Amino acid sequence: SGVMCSYNAVNGVPVCLDPLQKAVRDSWGFDGYVTSDTDSIDDAWVRHKYVATGEEAAALGVSKGGCDINSGNSYYNRLPGALAQSLCTMDDIDRRLFNAFKVR
């Protein structure tokens, strides 16, 4: 099963970067994957101005936000830089991949 986070923000935090995604797993026992709406990871940077760079947005998506799949190319383009800047860890990315592939 899967759910999609969206473009909007709740209490000023873009939904795909919000720890709310992790709360759904912990509180409701949700065991599926979380996917972003198309390019909503980059929206946190470009439109919401929540973070200063795309790398920060991608890093928050895989770490605090718990967004497993990016519908768009934000993760592909930004995660290598985020890793190089130590904004997230390979363990953060591995957790997202695990959730994405276990539903196959």
Side-chain angles (χ1 to χ4, degrees):
S1 62
V3 296
M4 178 181 279
C5 54
S6 60
Y7 297 106
N8 64 313
V10 175
N11 297 324
V13 181
V15 175
C16 289
L17 309 187
D18 196 317
L20 176 64
Q21 306 301 330
K22 287 186 177 179
V24 168
R25 293 185 196 283
D26 296 340
S27 298
W28 296 350
F30 177 71
D31 194 31
Y33 66 91
V34 176
T35 187
S36 72
D37 209 336
T38 304
D39 286 329
S40 58
I41 298 295
D42 262 4
D43 273 1
W45 162 52
V46 175
R47 288 183 176 74
H48 290 285
K49 308 289 188 220
Y50 183 72
V51 293
T53 68
E55 288 77 14
E56 288 177 81
L60 284 174
V62 297
S63 60
K64 293 184 179 166
C67 183
D68 303 311
I69 300 170
N70 167 236
S71 176
N73 59 13
S74 303
Y75 282 177
Y76 178 80
N77 290 333
R78 315 265 186 236
L79 281 177
L83 278 169
Q85 296 173 50
S86 299
L87 299 173
C88 62
T89 66
M90 200 62 213
D91 284 343
D92 293 326
I93 295 169
D94 286 346
R95 278 193 297 279
R96 306 291 66 90
L97 289 170
F98 178 81
N99 290 334
F101 284 122
K102 73 180 173 184
V103 296
R104 279 195 82 197

